[in-house]
Amino acid sequence: MTRIVAGFAGSLPLAVPKTGTRPTSDRVREAIFSALDARDIIRGSRVLDLYAGSGGLGLEAASRGARIVTLVDNNFGAAQMCRKNTEAVLRSAPKQGAPKIKVSSQAVQSFLAATGEGFDLVFIDPPYDLAETELGHNLAALAPLLDPDALVIVERSSRSPEPLWGPGLESDRRKDYGDTTVWYASPVLPAD
């Protein structure tokens, strides 16, 4: 069962689409959020969850204090689950200071091309069979939308190569969890 681990919605179960998604395991999600808590990056942040599936990563961030969360998945069933899970999380939110959570059913590349928003924290958990070139295009389109101190987290199969970061991002760290590899990246800052 997928659930929110901590924060105001801690232990809240999340609905998961029956097909077409691969939810992040509780073990991996707990490890990711432990690393984020150590960096003190969640509270007040603007979060983007691409290939959101159930919305588990973005909604976990909302529960832990993110200010704005945007969930993006063009799979109809996944977008419906994101909306359902968003409603459940917001029912658990404190009356004052509840996060703003938006769901987009656009394709990731279309969303990135159209949005004018900036982000502090981005989760990218595409299907493992997503082509590396498509992920590279997503990362290239994402880079200009990032704050200078932003963090991008990419979840891939441990059999996948390192993502094609492009000129706007550089990898900070890689962590393996069985069949899953989590990549951490940050924007490349312009030279002074």
Side-chain angles (χ1 to χ4, degrees):
M1 174 177 66
T2 300
R3 64 186 175 83
I4 299 292
V5 176
F8 67 75
S11 299
L12 180 75
L14 297 175
V16 177
K18 295 195 186 310
T19 60
T21 64
R22 176 196 34 77
T24 301
S25 73
D26 282 353
R27 174 181 170 234
V28 172
R29 197 160 9 113
E30 286 176 25
I32 289 170
F33 280 91
S34 177
L36 293 174
D37 285 341
R39 291 184 184 207
D40 194 29
I41 195 171
I42 301 170
R43 185 154 307 283
S45 64
R46 296 163 300 154
V47 175
L48 178 60
D49 186 351
L50 299 174
Y51 302 97
S54 66
L57 293 169
L59 295 174
E60 182 76 37
S63 180
R64 293 174 184 239
R67 183 172 47 95
I68 300 170
V69 176
T70 304
L71 309 174
V72 180
D73 202 306
N74 75 333
N75 176 290
F76 178 78
Q80 289 296 97
M81 289 299 143
C82 284
R83 287 182 182 93
K84 179 179 178 178
N85 290 332
T86 293
E87 290 170 7
V89 166
L90 289 175
R91 279 193 301 272
S92 299
K95 299 293 183 227
Q96 297 293 323
K100 180 178 179 184
I101 305 172
K102 302 178 276 189
V103 178
S104 172
S105 56
Q106 286 180 279
V108 166
Q109 198 65 24
S110 297
F111 173 85
L112 292 171
T115 189
E117 297 179 58
F119 301 99
D120 307 303
L121 177 59
V122 180
F123 299 104
I124 306 177
D125 184 11
Y128 280 174
D129 63 356
L130 182 80
E132 295 303 318
T133 53
E134 187 172 349
L135 177 59
H137 292 309
N138 295 163
L139 292 166
L142 173 66
L145 304 174
L146 298 173
D147 270 13
D149 295 328
L151 182 64
V152 176
I153 298 172
V154 179
E155 184 178 333
R156 294 296 275 161
S157 165
S158 58
R159 294 177 297 282
S160 296
E162 181 171 356
L164 303 169
W165 300 111
L169 291 166
E170 62 186 359
S171 178
D172 295 342
R173 175 177 167 206
R174 169 193 173 143
K175 188 72 177 153
D176 294 307
Y177 303 93
D179 290 342
T180 300
T181 297
V182 177
W183 298 89
Y184 295 79
S186 299
V188 175
L189 299 177
D192 290 334

